[in-house]
PDB file of all heavy atoms in Angstrom:
ATOM      1  N   ALA M 103      28.525  14.206  13.502  1.00 39.00           N
ATOM      2  CA  ALA M 103      29.142  14.054  12.156  1.00 39.00           C
ATOM      3  C   ALA M 103      28.084  13.560  11.227  1.00 39.00           C
ATOM      4  O   ALA M 103      27.227  12.675  11.577  1.00 39.00           O
ATOM      5  CB  ALA M 103      30.273  12.960  12.241  1.00 39.00           C
ATOM      6  N   ALA M 104      28.065  14.069   9.985  1.00 47.00           N
ATOM      7  CA  ALA M 104      27.123  13.668   8.981  1.00 47.00           C
ATOM      8  C   ALA M 104      27.181  12.163   8.745  1.00 47.00           C
ATOM      9  O   ALA M 104      28.257  11.716   8.516  1.00 47.00           O
ATOM     10  CB  ALA M 104      27.392  14.419   7.677  1.00 47.00           C
ATOM     11  N   GLY M 105      26.064  11.565   8.886  1.00 55.00           N
ATOM     12  CA  GLY M 105      26.015  10.168   8.647  1.00 55.00           C
ATOM     13  C   GLY M 105      26.370   9.305   9.909  1.00 55.00           C
ATOM     14  O   GLY M 105      26.279   8.125   9.953  1.00 55.00           O
ATOM     15  N   GLY M 106      26.787  10.012  10.917  1.00 69.00           N
ATOM     16  CA  GLY M 106      27.197   9.336  12.178  1.00 69.00           C
ATOM     17  C   GLY M 106      26.148   9.634  13.282  1.00 69.00           C
ATOM     18  O   GLY M 106      25.169  10.315  13.083  1.00 69.00           O
ATOM     19  N   ARG M 145      17.733  -2.817  10.076  1.00 97.00           N
ATOM     20  CA  ARG M 145      18.543  -1.602  10.186  1.00 97.00           C
ATOM     21  C   ARG M 145      18.445  -1.062  11.535  1.00 97.00           C
ATOM     22  O   ARG M 145      17.444  -1.241  12.234  1.00 97.00           O
ATOM     23  CB  ARG M 145      18.086  -0.578   9.147  1.00 97.00           C
ATOM     24  CG  ARG M 145      18.151  -0.971   7.721  1.00 97.00           C
ATOM     25  CD  ARG M 145      17.802   0.032   6.699  1.00 97.00           C
ATOM     26  NE  ARG M 145      17.802  -0.508   5.399  1.00 97.00           N
ATOM     27  CZ  ARG M 145      16.744  -0.389   4.519  1.00 97.00           C
ATOM     28  NH1 ARG M 145      15.712   0.337   4.887  1.00 97.00           N
ATOM     29  NH2 ARG M 145      16.787  -1.029   3.346  1.00 97.00           N
ATOM     30  N   PRO M 147      18.621   2.320  13.505  1.00 98.00           N
ATOM     31  CA  PRO M 147      18.692   3.761  13.607  1.00 98.00           C
ATOM     32  C   PRO M 147      19.416   4.227  14.868  1.00 98.00           C
ATOM     33  O   PRO M 147      19.414   3.445  15.886  1.00 98.00           O
ATOM     34  CB  PRO M 147      17.244   4.142  13.519  1.00 98.00           C
ATOM     35  CG  PRO M 147      16.470   2.957  13.977  1.00 98.00           C
ATOM     36  CD  PRO M 147      17.319   1.759  13.537  1.00 98.00           C
ATOM     37  N   ALA M 148      19.992   5.384  14.818  1.00 97.00           N
ATOM     38  CA  ALA M 148      20.584   5.964  16.039  1.00 97.00           C
ATOM     39  C   ALA M 148      19.534   6.512  16.986  1.00 97.00           C
ATOM     40  O   ALA M 148      19.727   6.502  18.222  1.00 97.00           O
ATOM     41  CB  ALA M 148      21.553   7.062  15.575  1.00 97.00           C
ATOM     42  N   VAL M 149      18.464   7.043  16.439  1.00 98.00           N
ATOM     43  CA  VAL M 149      17.402   7.625  17.239  1.00 98.00           C
ATOM     44  C   VAL M 149      16.050   7.341  16.632  1.00 98.00           C
ATOM     45  O   VAL M 149      15.888   7.461  15.422  1.00 98.00           O
ATOM     46  CB  VAL M 149      17.575   9.166  17.333  1.00 98.00           C
ATOM     47  CG1 VAL M 149      16.514   9.767  18.266  1.00 98.00           C
ATOM     48  CG2 VAL M 149      18.918   9.533  17.739  1.00 98.00           C
ATOM     49  N   GLY M 166      16.993  16.285  13.595  1.00 97.00           N
ATOM     50  CA  GLY M 166      17.691  15.448  12.639  1.00 97.00           C
ATOM     51  C   GLY M 166      18.536  16.165  11.733  1.00 97.00           C
ATOM     52  O   GLY M 166      19.676  15.841  11.377  1.00 97.00           O
ATOM     53  N   ARG M 167      18.047  17.336  11.182  1.00 97.00           N
ATOM     54  CA  ARG M 167      18.839  18.181  10.283  1.00 97.00           C
ATOM     55  C   ARG M 167      19.989  18.863  11.010  1.00 97.00           C
ATOM     56  O   ARG M 167      21.128  18.902  10.440  1.00 97.00           O
ATOM     57  CB  ARG M 167      17.897  19.264   9.630  1.00 97.00           C
ATOM     58  CG  ARG M 167      16.814  18.613   8.770  1.00 97.00           C
ATOM     59  CD  ARG M 167      16.238  19.672   7.796  1.00 97.00           C
ATOM     60  NE  ARG M 167      17.260  20.047   6.839  1.00 97.00           N
ATOM     61  CZ  ARG M 167      17.082  21.022   5.887  1.00 97.00           C
ATOM     62  NH1 ARG M 167      15.925  21.631   5.911  1.00 97.00           N
ATOM     63  NH2 ARG M 167      18.089  21.320   5.127  1.00 97.00           N
ATOM     64  N   GLN M 169      21.652  17.693  13.359  1.00 96.00           N
ATOM     65  CA  GLN M 169      22.677  16.707  13.704  1.00 96.00           C
ATOM     66  C   GLN M 169      23.164  15.985  12.484  1.00 96.00           C
ATOM     67  O   GLN M 169      24.007  15.060  12.507  1.00 96.00           O
ATOM     68  CB  GLN M 169      22.101  15.620  14.624  1.00 96.00           C
ATOM     69  CG  GLN M 169      21.784  16.236  16.070  1.00 96.00           C
ATOM     70  CD  GLN M 169      23.050  16.793  16.732  1.00 96.00           C
ATOM     71  OE1 GLN M 169      24.060  16.118  16.839  1.00 96.00           O
ATOM     72  NE2 GLN M 169      23.022  18.056  17.044  1.00 96.00           N
ATOM     73  N   GLY M 170      22.751  16.376  11.293  1.00 96.00           N
ATOM     74  CA  GLY M 170      23.211  15.793  10.067  1.00 96.00           C
ATOM     75  C   GLY M 170      22.774  14.304   9.883  1.00 96.00           C
ATOM     76  O   GLY M 170      23.558  13.427   9.263  1.00 96.00           O
ATOM     77  N   LEU M 171      21.685  13.943  10.488  1.00 97.00           N
ATOM     78  CA  LEU M 171      21.149  12.519  10.434  1.00 97.00           C
ATOM     79  C   LEU M 171      20.332  12.285   9.191  1.00 97.00           C
ATOM     80  O   LEU M 171      19.447  13.098   8.829  1.00 97.00           O
ATOM     81  CB  LEU M 171      20.380  12.200  11.703  1.00 97.00           C
ATOM     82  CG  LEU M 171      21.075  12.320  13.041  1.00 97.00           C
ATOM     83  CD1 LEU M 171      20.088  12.172  14.175  1.00 97.00           C
ATOM     84  CD2 LEU M 171      22.243  11.252  13.071  1.00 97.00           C
ATOM     85  N   GLU M 172      20.487  11.171   8.624  1.00 98.00           N
ATOM     86  CA  GLU M 172      19.583  10.786   7.544  1.00 98.00           C
ATOM     87  C   GLU M 172      18.203  10.549   8.257  1.00 98.00           C
ATOM     88  O   GLU M 172      18.082   9.896   9.277  1.00 98.00           O
ATOM     89  CB  GLU M 172      20.058   9.495   6.859  1.00 98.00           C
ATOM     90  CG  GLU M 172      19.243   9.059   5.694  1.00 98.00           C
ATOM     91  CD  GLU M 172      19.848   7.882   5.026  1.00 98.00           C
ATOM     92  OE1 GLU M 172      20.324   7.016   5.621  1.00 98.00           O
ATOM     93  OE2 GLU M 172      19.769   7.867   3.675  1.00 98.00           O
ATOM     94  N   ILE M 173      17.072  10.986   7.593  1.00 98.00           N
ATOM     95  CA  ILE M 173      15.757  10.903   8.240  1.00 98.00           C
ATOM     96  C   ILE M 173      14.902   9.980   7.453  1.00 98.00           C
ATOM     97  O   ILE M 173      14.739  10.008   6.281  1.00 98.00           O
ATOM     98  CB  ILE M 173      15.134  12.312   8.257  1.00 98.00           C
ATOM     99  CG1 ILE M 173      15.957  13.241   9.104  1.00 98.00           C
ATOM    100  CG2 ILE M 173      13.696  12.291   8.735  1.00 98.00           C
ATOM    101  CD1 ILE M 173      15.485  14.737   9.183  1.00 98.00           C
ATOM    102  N   ALA M 174      14.260   9.059   8.218  1.00 98.00           N
ATOM    103  CA  ALA M 174      13.196   8.162   7.677  1.00 98.00           C
ATOM    104  C   ALA M 174      11.988   8.456   8.406  1.00 98.00           C
ATOM    105  O   ALA M 174      11.960   8.932   9.536  1.00 98.00           O
ATOM    106  CB  ALA M 174      13.671   6.662   7.930  1.00 98.00           C
ATOM    107  N   VAL M 175      10.802   8.188   7.673  1.00 98.00           N
ATOM    108  CA  VAL M 175       9.517   8.410   8.266  1.00 98.00           C
ATOM    109  C   VAL M 175       8.753   7.116   8.348  1.00 98.00           C
ATOM    110  O   VAL M 175       8.675   6.414   7.336  1.00 98.00           O
ATOM    111  CB  VAL M 175       8.733   9.408   7.465  1.00 98.00           C
ATOM    112  CG1 VAL M 175       7.402   9.737   8.086  1.00 98.00           C
ATOM    113  CG2 VAL M 175       9.490  10.798   7.374  1.00 98.00           C
ATOM    114  N   LEU M 187      13.022   2.875   7.921  1.00 98.00           N
ATOM    115  CA  LEU M 187      14.211   2.836   8.775  1.00 98.00           C
ATOM    116  C   LEU M 187      15.483   3.433   8.095  1.00 98.00           C
ATOM    117  O   LEU M 187      15.651   3.191   6.945  1.00 98.00           O
ATOM    118  CB  LEU M 187      14.537   1.335   9.188  1.00 98.00           C
ATOM    119  CG  LEU M 187      13.539   0.605  10.081  1.00 98.00           C
ATOM    120  CD1 LEU M 187      14.020  -0.805  10.263  1.00 98.00           C
ATOM    121  CD2 LEU M 187      13.370   1.264  11.414  1.00 98.00           C
ATOM    122  N   ALA M 188      16.202   4.126   8.886  1.00 97.00           N
ATOM    123  CA  ALA M 188      17.469   4.753   8.422  1.00 97.00           C
ATOM    124  C   ALA M 188      18.639   4.156   9.284  1.00 97.00           C
ATOM    125  O   ALA M 188      18.671   4.334  10.473  1.00 97.00           O
ATOM    126  CB  ALA M 188      17.421   6.204   8.584  1.00 97.00           C
ATOM    127  N   GLU M 189      19.564   3.470   8.624  1.00 97.00           N
ATOM    128  CA  GLU M 189      20.685   2.902   9.354  1.00 97.00           C
ATOM    129  C   GLU M 189      21.565   4.040   9.933  1.00 97.00           C
ATOM    130  O   GLU M 189      21.992   4.874   9.202  1.00 97.00           O
ATOM    131  CB  GLU M 189      21.550   2.088   8.333  1.00 97.00           C
ATOM    132  CG  GLU M 189      22.772   1.517   8.966  1.00 97.00           C
ATOM    133  CD  GLU M 189      22.390   0.317   9.897  1.00 97.00           C
ATOM    134  OE1 GLU M 189      21.453  -0.364   9.763  1.00 97.00           O
ATOM    135  OE2 GLU M 189      23.213   0.238  10.969  1.00 97.00           O
ATOM    136  N   GLY M 190      21.610   4.056  11.192  1.00 97.00           N
ATOM    137  CA  GLY M 190      22.451   5.082  11.883  1.00 97.00           C
ATOM    138  C   GLY M 190      21.732   6.458  11.845  1.00 97.00           C
ATOM    139  O   GLY M 190      22.453   7.427  12.263  1.00 97.00           O
ATOM    140  N   GLY M 191      20.601   6.554  11.465  1.00 97.00           N
ATOM    141  CA  GLY M 191      19.870   7.848  11.329  1.00 97.00           C
ATOM    142  C   GLY M 191      18.766   8.096  12.235  1.00 97.00           C
ATOM    143  O   GLY M 191      18.757   7.384  13.363  1.00 97.00           O
ATOM    144  N   LEU M 192      17.854   8.934  11.942  1.00 98.00           N
ATOM    145  CA  LEU M 192      16.657   9.283  12.696  1.00 98.00           C
ATOM    146  C   LEU M 192      15.498   8.715  12.126  1.00 98.00           C
ATOM    147  O   LEU M 192      15.217   8.956  10.883  1.00 98.00           O
ATOM    148  CB  LEU M 192      16.600  10.794  12.916  1.00 98.00           C
ATOM    149  CG  LEU M 192      15.292  11.376  13.498  1.00 98.00           C
ATOM    150  CD1 LEU M 192      15.189  11.029  14.977  1.00 98.00           C
ATOM    151  CD2 LEU M 192      15.169  12.853  13.212  1.00 98.00           C
ATOM    152  N   VAL M 193      14.636   8.040  12.856  1.00 98.00           N
ATOM    153  CA  VAL M 193      13.310   7.604  12.478  1.00 98.00           C
ATOM    154  C   VAL M 193      12.263   8.441  13.114  1.00 98.00           C
ATOM    155  O   VAL M 193      12.202   8.498  14.340  1.00 98.00           O
ATOM    156  CB  VAL M 193      13.096   6.103  12.744  1.00 98.00           C
ATOM    157  CG1 VAL M 193      11.579   5.698  12.491  1.00 98.00           C
ATOM    158  CG2 VAL M 193      14.041   5.190  12.032  1.00 98.00           C
ATOM    159  N   ILE M 194      11.455   9.140  12.316  1.00 98.00           N
ATOM    160  CA  ILE M 194      10.291   9.800  12.806  1.00 98.00           C
ATOM    161  C   ILE M 194       9.123   8.875  12.831  1.00 98.00           C
ATOM    162  O   ILE M 194       8.555   8.494  11.802  1.00 98.00           O
ATOM    163  CB  ILE M 194      10.023  11.049  11.968  1.00 98.00           C
ATOM    164  CG1 ILE M 194      11.125  12.089  12.120  1.00 98.00           C
ATOM    165  CG2 ILE M 194       8.640  11.684  12.383  1.00 98.00           C
ATOM    166  CD1 ILE M 194      11.007  13.254  11.162  1.00 98.00           C
ATOM    167  N   ASN M 551      16.430  17.579  -0.504  1.00 98.00           N
ATOM    168  CA  ASN M 551      16.110  16.168  -0.515  1.00 98.00           C
ATOM    169  C   ASN M 551      16.250  15.504   0.762  1.00 98.00           C
ATOM    170  O   ASN M 551      16.804  14.329   0.879  1.00 98.00           O
ATOM    171  CB  ASN M 551      16.885  15.467  -1.705  1.00 98.00           C
ATOM    172  CG  ASN M 551      16.234  14.171  -2.204  1.00 98.00           C
ATOM    173  OD1 ASN M 551      15.019  13.930  -1.869  1.00 98.00           O
ATOM    174  ND2 ASN M 551      16.909  13.399  -2.961  1.00 98.00           N
ATOM    175  N   VAL M 552      15.859  16.133   1.876  1.00 98.00           N
ATOM    176  CA  VAL M 552      15.870  15.588   3.181  1.00 98.00           C
ATOM    177  C   VAL M 552      15.052  14.264   3.232  1.00 98.00           C
ATOM    178  O   VAL M 552      15.506  13.231   3.774  1.00 98.00           O
ATOM    179  CB  VAL M 552      15.342  16.565   4.246  1.00 98.00           C
ATOM    180  CG1 VAL M 552      15.178  15.925   5.557  1.00 98.00           C
ATOM    181  CG2 VAL M 552      16.288  17.796   4.305  1.00 98.00           C
ATOM    182  N   HIS M 554      14.322  11.488   1.370  1.00 98.00           N
ATOM    183  CA  HIS M 554      14.751  10.711   0.212  1.00 98.00           C
ATOM    184  C   HIS M 554      14.584   9.248   0.367  1.00 98.00           C
ATOM    185  O   HIS M 554      14.810   8.471  -0.642  1.00 98.00           O
ATOM    186  CB  HIS M 554      16.164  11.116  -0.206  1.00 98.00           C
ATOM    187  CG  HIS M 554      17.132  10.739   0.880  1.00 98.00           C
ATOM    188  ND1 HIS M 554      17.556  11.615   1.871  1.00 98.00           N
ATOM    189  CD2 HIS M 554      17.899   9.583   1.075  1.00 98.00           C
ATOM    190  CE1 HIS M 554      18.426  10.983   2.648  1.00 98.00           C
ATOM    191  NE2 HIS M 554      18.642   9.799   2.156  1.00 98.00           N
ATOM    192  N   LEU M 555      14.251   8.788   1.566  1.00 98.00           N
ATOM    193  CA  LEU M 555      14.074   7.394   1.781  1.00 98.00           C
ATOM    194  C   LEU M 555      12.644   6.997   1.351  1.00 98.00           C
ATOM    195  O   LEU M 555      11.677   6.843   2.202  1.00 98.00           O
ATOM    196  CB  LEU M 555      14.391   6.946   3.226  1.00 98.00           C
ATOM    197  CG  LEU M 555      15.806   7.076   3.662  1.00 98.00           C
ATOM    198  CD1 LEU M 555      16.008   6.802   5.101  1.00 98.00           C
ATOM    199  CD2 LEU M 555      16.669   6.200   2.834  1.00 98.00           C
TER     200      LEU M 555
END
Side-chain angles (χ1 to χ4, degrees):
R145 300 186 187 130
V149 184
R167 296 200 64 184
Q169 293 301 304
L171 297 173
E172 188 174 40
I173 295 176
V175 181
L187 290 180
E189 181 68 36
L192 168 69
V193 173
I194 296 176
N551 205 11
V552 171
H554 63 269
L555 292 178

